[in-house]
Amino acid sequence: MNNYEAYYAQLYALAKEALSHWMENQSAPEPVRSAMNYSLGAGGKRLRPMLVLAGCDLLQGDRAQAMGYACAIEMIHTYSLIHDDMPAMDNDDYRRGKLTCHKVYGEGMAILAGDGLLNSAFEVMAAHMQRFPENLVNHVCALAHIARGAGIEGMIAGQCVDLVGTGDDAQSLTWLHRHKTGALITAALLAGLQLAAPTPEELEALREFGYRLGLQFQIVDDLLDVEGDAQTLGKATGSDAANQKTTYVTLYGSEKARELAREHSQAAVEALEIFGERAWFLRELTMRLLTREQ
Amino acid sequence: MNNYEAYYAQLYALAKEALSHWMENQSAPEPVRSAMNYSLGAGGKRLRPMLVLAGCDLLQGDRAQAMGYACAIEMIHTYSLIHDDMPAMDNDDYRRGKLTCHKVYGEGMAILAGDGLLNSAFEVMAAHMQRFPENLVNHVCALAHIARGAGIEGMIAGQCVDLVGTGDDAQSLTWLHRHKTGALITAALLAGLQLAAPTPEELEALREFGYRLGLQFQIVDDLLDVEGDAQTLGKATGSDAANQKTTYVTLYGSEKARELAREHSQAAVEALEIFGERAWFLRELTMRLLTREQ
C-alpha cells in the first residue's frame, strides 16, 4: 500500500484506538485519572506512536508487537508536556487550544498526572512484552531505546538545558533540540525497528534519520511559531518568555532557517537508503512535515 | 549467616555501593545531575533496596541479578519524595535534616530531578536485565512488579488520595498507606523473589508480608512523629498542615496504635512461614522495625 493518505490514516487510527483503550481501562483514583486522560486525550499529531509503527514496518515487523511501545511513547511525550507547561518551567496556560493540565487540576495533581503517565508508559511496556516471550530480547531492547531517549541523556537532558538557558549559538541550539525533541523521535523509530531484529547498520541508519527528522521538525516549528505570532498578535498566552528565546529563526532568519530544514530533510531521506523501497512512507512523511502548515 | 547486624550491614553496604556507583557515573547535564544526586545521596535507611536483596535471598536467588532492581527502587522512592516535598504537594522545606531538593535547586529543576530519577530507574533495570538473557522472563516480571507498585494503582494512587484528602476512618487510612507506602515495599520484595522463579503461593505469601510490614511501618512512623513533635516543639518545618492529618495515632490513640502495629507484625511474620528458616532475616527485621526509634 503506497497511498500516503491511507497509510497515514491507518497508523493514526491504530495509535488513537490503542490510546483510547488504555484511557478507558486505566483505573487510577480520581482526580489523577481524569487529569491524565485530559492531557493524553487532548489530541495532537500522534507523530511518535506513528513513528513506532512505521519503524516496525520498515523490516516488516509484527505490528501487534509494536503497539505497546506506540502507546508508551505518546504517554511519555504527554507527561513531558504536562510538566513543561507548569509555572516553574515554561508557565503556559494553554496547549492545543485547551487549558493546560495544571490550570484545570492544580499544580500538585499535574505533577502526579505527569508522574503517572511516565510510570504507566513502563507499566504498559512491561505488561505488553510478556505476551511475546519468543522475542523478549528484542522487546527489552525496545524498552531500553525508549528509556534512553526519554531519559537524562535524552529528552530530560534537553529540558534541563532549556530551563537554565543555553548558549545562543547554532551548536548549542542543535544540541538542545537533538535532546529535547530528537531523542524521543529517534527512540520511537528504533523501538519499532528493534522488534524485527535489525542489524547494527540498520539501527544506525534509522538513528541518523531520526536525528535529521527531529531537527527538521524543530526548525519548521520555529518557522510556524513566527508566522503564527505574526497572524495572532495579542493572543492570550503565558509564555511571553518563550518569544525571547533563541530559535533557528532568530539565529538565521526565516529564509536561511527554511533552507537548513530542507538540508536536514534531504539528509534524512538519504539515511533511509539502506531500507530501499520499504522506506517510502518515512520519505514521504519527511517531505510533508517539511511543508506542513501547523 | 544468621547474625542480624552483620547481614543487615552487608545488604546496606551492597545497596549503598550500587547507588554510589550509579551517581558517580550518571551523566545528566548540570544542574539536574547534582539535583538528582543531592536527593538520592541524602541517606535514609535504604530499606527498599535491602528488601529487594532480602527477597532474592529467600529462595537463594542470584544477588547479582537483583542489584539493578535494588538501585531502581531507591531511585523511585527518592523521586516520590522530591515531588511530594514540593509546594504544590506537601510543601516541606526540610527532609532528613537537609533542605529539600526544590529549596536548593528550584521547583523546575526539582520536577526534572524527580522525572530523571523515575526514568533512570527503568533505564537502569532495562540495561541490567540485558545481562541475564537466560532469565529474561523473570526479569521482565520483576520490572513489572516495580512498575505496578510505583504506579497509578500503587504508590501514585496513594499520593493522589493523600493530596485531595481521604476519609478519616480506619478503612480509608489503611487504603491510603497500603498504596502510598505499602505498594513499593511489597514491590521491592516481589522483584527480588521473582528472580528465583517463585511459585504463585510464594509470591502471594510475600505479598501478604509486604502488606503487613508496610502498615506496621506506617503506624510506627505515625507514633514516632508524635513523639518527635513532643520533643522538638517549634522546630522549623513547612509542613504544619501534615500535623492536622488523620493518622493512626489521631484515630486510635498511641496505645491502641502500638497494639495495631504489633498485630500487623505478627501477621507479617506468620505470612513468612512458607519460606521456613530462610526467612529469619525478614522476621527479625520486622520485629526491629516495630521497636525502632527513628
Side-chain angles (χ1 to χ4, degrees), chain A:
Chain A
M1 182 175 63
N2 280 19
N3 178 321
Y4 179 85
E5 276 79 15
Y7 186 91
Y8 186 100
Q10 187 187 53
L11 294 193
Y12 185 90
L14 283 171
K16 192 179 163 200
E17 200 215 321
L19 288 166
S20 296
H21 184 261
W22 183 81
M23 286 191 278
E24 280 160 27
N25 290 282
Q26 63 110 326
S27 54
E30 291 294 355
V32 78
R33 179 180 194 279
S34 294
M36 287 190 292
N37 286 359
Y38 175 80
S39 292
L40 190 58
K45 295 184 217 28
R46 307 301 190 201
L47 175 65
R48 289 156 194 82
M50 287 200 290
L51 290 178
V52 172
L53 297 173
C56 176
D57 283 357
L58 273 182
L59 298 181
Q60 292 165 297
D62 175 9
R63 278 189 188 168
Q65 294 196 32
M67 289 313 300
Y69 306 96
C71 275
I73 204 133
E74 189 71 0
M75 293 159 81
I76 290 174
H77 175 57
T78 303
Y79 114 77
S80 78
L81 300 181
I82 293 174
H83 283 184
D84 256 349
D85 285 339
M86 290 189 59
M89 307 267 295
D90 278 357
N91 193 22
D92 277 315
D93 293 351
Y94 289 91
R95 173 168 300 271
R96 295 168 183 164
K98 292 175 69 177
L99 285 169
T100 45
C101 190
H102 68 273
K103 294 301 285 183
V104 178
Y105 294 96
E107 289 182 39
M109 209 45 72
I111 293 174
L112 286 181
D115 295 345
L117 284 170
L118 173 55
N119 193 92
S120 293
F122 288 101
E123 215 175 328
V124 163
M125 288 188 275
H128 172 79
M129 65 171 62
Q130 292 180 340
R131 293 169 49 207
F132 308 100
E134 75 288 353
N135 197 22
L136 215 44
V137 169
N138 282 315
H139 277 274
V140 171
C141 286
L143 184 146
H145 286 309
I146 290 179
R148 270 199 302 272
I152 60 174
E153 295 179 25
M155 182 181 73
I156 292 174
Q159 291 174 292
C160 169
V161 169
D162 198 25
L163 183 59
V164 294
T166 180
D168 57 0
D169 58 302
Q171 201 181 353
S172 302
L173 196 64
T174 297
W175 186 97
L176 177 68
H177 293 304
R178 180 172 199 161
H179 289 78
K180 192 174 176 184
T181 315
L184 203 59
I185 283 176
T186 303
L189 292 158
L190 296 183
L193 189 74
Q194 186 68 52
L195 302 171
T199 64
E201 292 74 24
E202 288 165 337
L203 278 169
E204 196 42 48
L206 199 56
R207 188 175 280 121
E208 172 70 12
F209 170 76
Y211 165 58
R212 297 293 189 169
L213 184 72
L215 284 180
Q216 182 239 66
F217 191 82
Q218 185 60 50
I219 298 171
V220 174
D221 246 13
D222 288 351
L223 285 159
L224 290 172
D225 273 352
V226 171
E227 292 165 17
D229 283 352
Q231 281 168 22
T232 59
L233 275 176
K235 68 174 175 171
T237 168
S239 62
D240 290 335
N243 298 331
Q244 292 147 25
K245 275 185 185 167
T246 301
T247 71
Y248 284 98
V249 180
T250 65
L251 204 58
Y252 292 106
S254 290
E255 199 171 335
K256 181 109 193 282
R258 189 161 292 283
E259 190 184 315
L260 199 59
R262 271 196 298 270
E263 283 172 23
H264 284 305
S265 292
Q266 200 177 335
V269 167
E270 280 165 16
L272 292 172
E273 203 171 326
I274 192 173
F275 300 106
E277 191 42 49
R278 289 169 314 205
W280 71 270
F281 174 72
L282 289 179
R283 268 193 286 272
E284 181 74 21
L285 178 72
T286 304
M287 299 322 292
R288 298 212 183 197
L289 286 175
L290 179 65
T291 55
R292 72 196 154 102
E293 284 170 5
Q294 59 174 340

Side-chain angles (χ1 to χ4, degrees), chain B residues 8 23 50 66 81 89 159 161 205 231 253:
Chain B
Y8 186 100
M23 286 191 277
M50 287 199 290
L81 300 181
M89 307 268 294
Q159 290 175 292
V161 169
Q231 280 167 24

Side-chain angles (χ1 to χ4, degrees), chain B residues 51-63 66 189 192-193 195-196:
Chain B
L51 290 178
V52 173
L53 297 173
C56 177
D57 283 357
L58 273 183
L59 298 181
Q60 292 165 295
D62 175 9
R63 278 190 189 169
L189 291 158
L193 189 74
L195 302 170

